[in-house]
Amino acid sequence: MDIPRIFTITESAHRIHNPITPDKLAALGAALRLEPGARVLDLGSGSGEMLCTWARDHGIVGTGIDMSPLFTEQARRRAAELGVAERVTFIHGDAAGHVAEEKVDVAACLGATWIGGGVAGTIELLARSLRGGGIILVGEPFWCRLPPTDEVAKGCHANAVGDFLMLPQLLASFGRLGCDVVEMVLADQDGWDRYEAAKWLTMRRWLEANPGDELADEIRAELASGPERYATCTREYLGWGVFALMRR
Ligand code: SAH
């Protein structure tokens, strides 16, 4: 079981597979006022940076589930590196339908809400693992400016303008799903640069090491066109944030 190989090539050197930066991830952990021993579930945990750093900084106990064997292995290595391997567990698997055996204080899905079939389904899924009064974290894109055309939207990880909401509408949509928004940490352009621009050096080095690979042409084309498209589209139009929700 694995995710499409293109992601494990372009994001193999990423610790965080989203436009949130280490300082913002730390700000989010502090904002949630996590108690030592708090249980955190992370669906689509990637390379585990959130759980590992929160285990180090706040003494949380975490479980992450991710479909990528590479990212899961990187998460385990990161846990050992930070001395928190006793506190966090990383499971390689499909997180769709995953419900924790023991209820958690925080249930998260950052930048992987397709796991629950969209934001609404992911909130439902996370809620099934959550103790009463617990916090749901959803990491999701929104438009900070409305793209003028679907063409521009396609350059922003979307299929059409209608795929994402503006921030006020996204916040309102959480209310319609029965949730209070109790905190949020938003990405900025520097965060997008860390996520997107970091792929370019990784791609360049991968191309040098793997010139004959079946994906070499695709990666070469992406490296050639990605930076300009990114500056035209994602960097100008797309926002991203982590929203902390409590059910009403
Ligand atoms: N939350 C992490 C990773 C976000 S990238 C971070 O912020 O760094 C999206 C992640 O979802 C990837 O690691 C990918 O491997 C994982 N993923 C995709 N589909 C999945 C599924 N069905 N079940 C579990 N993980 C999945």
Side-chain angles (χ1 to χ4, degrees):
M1 188 192 299
D2 205 345
I3 57 172
R5 203 170 149 239
I6 184 93
F7 298 112
T8 41
I9 294 171
T10 58
E11 299 188 25
S12 64
H14 283 54
R15 254 186 204 147
I16 302 175
H17 305 266
N18 269 310
I20 193 165
T21 48
D23 56 315
K24 291 203 180 219
L25 209 49
L28 177 65
L32 297 177
R33 305 168 203 173
L34 299 162
E35 300 283 344
R39 282 191 301 279
V40 182
L41 173 70
D42 190 10
L43 303 187
S45 44
S47 300
E49 191 68 4
M50 181 178 83
L51 291 180
C52 290
T53 53
W54 289 3
R56 178 194 62 193
D57 299 341
H58 303 287
I60 62 110
V61 174
T63 302
I65 296 139
D66 199 279
M67 208 182 230
S68 161
L70 175 70
F71 296 166
T72 304
E73 190 45 45
Q74 289 180 167
R76 291 177 186 143
R77 273 211 300 276
R78 184 69 171 146
E81 187 179 65
L82 296 187
V84 296
E86 317 284 69
R87 313 192 70 87
V88 292
T89 306
F90 291 101
I91 299 166
H92 170 235
D94 187 348
H98 180 93
V99 177
E101 277 169 27
E102 205 181 343
K103 299 270 189 217
V104 299
D105 301 284
V106 177
C109 181
L110 271 51
T113 51
W114 57 85
I115 285 173
V119 172
T122 297
I123 290 174
E124 278 308 309
L125 174 61
L126 293 171
R128 287 164 61 199
S129 294
L130 200 67
R131 71 158 169 86
I135 290 180
I136 291 174
L137 295 180
V138 171
E140 190 65 8
F142 56 87
W143 297 125
C144 31
R145 287 201 289 142
L146 213 54
T149 61
D150 281 341
E151 206 48 42
V152 175
K154 283 192 177 77
C156 304
H157 307 283
N159 292 311
V161 178
D163 279 11
F164 301 132
L165 300 169
M166 302 284 287
L167 181 59
Q169 285 73 43
L170 179 60
L171 293 169
S173 76
F174 293 129
R176 282 196 300 278
L177 295 169
C179 296
D180 288 323
V181 181
V182 298
E183 255 295 354
M184 68 179 187
V185 172
L186 303 183
D188 58 18
Q189 285 180 316
D190 289 334
W192 274 117
D193 293 347
R194 285 310 82 235
Y195 177 49
E196 294 294 339
K199 296 176 187 175
W200 307 337
L201 181 58
T202 302
M203 287 194 281
R204 174 61 200 250
R205 292 202 166 144
W206 182 89
L207 279 168
E208 275 165 20
N210 300 275
D213 191 279
E214 61 180 7
L215 285 184
D217 288 348
E218 190 180 327
I219 298 279
R220 160 75 9 241
E222 180 55 31
L223 179 58
S225 63
E228 184 186 349
R229 188 182 62 248
Y230 164 64
T232 309
C233 302
T234 302
R235 196 173 198 278
E236 285 305 306
Y237 293 97
L238 200 58
W240 194 88
V242 181
F243 304 93
L245 313 173
M246 291 177 72
R247 304 202 109 193
R248 287 181 182 146

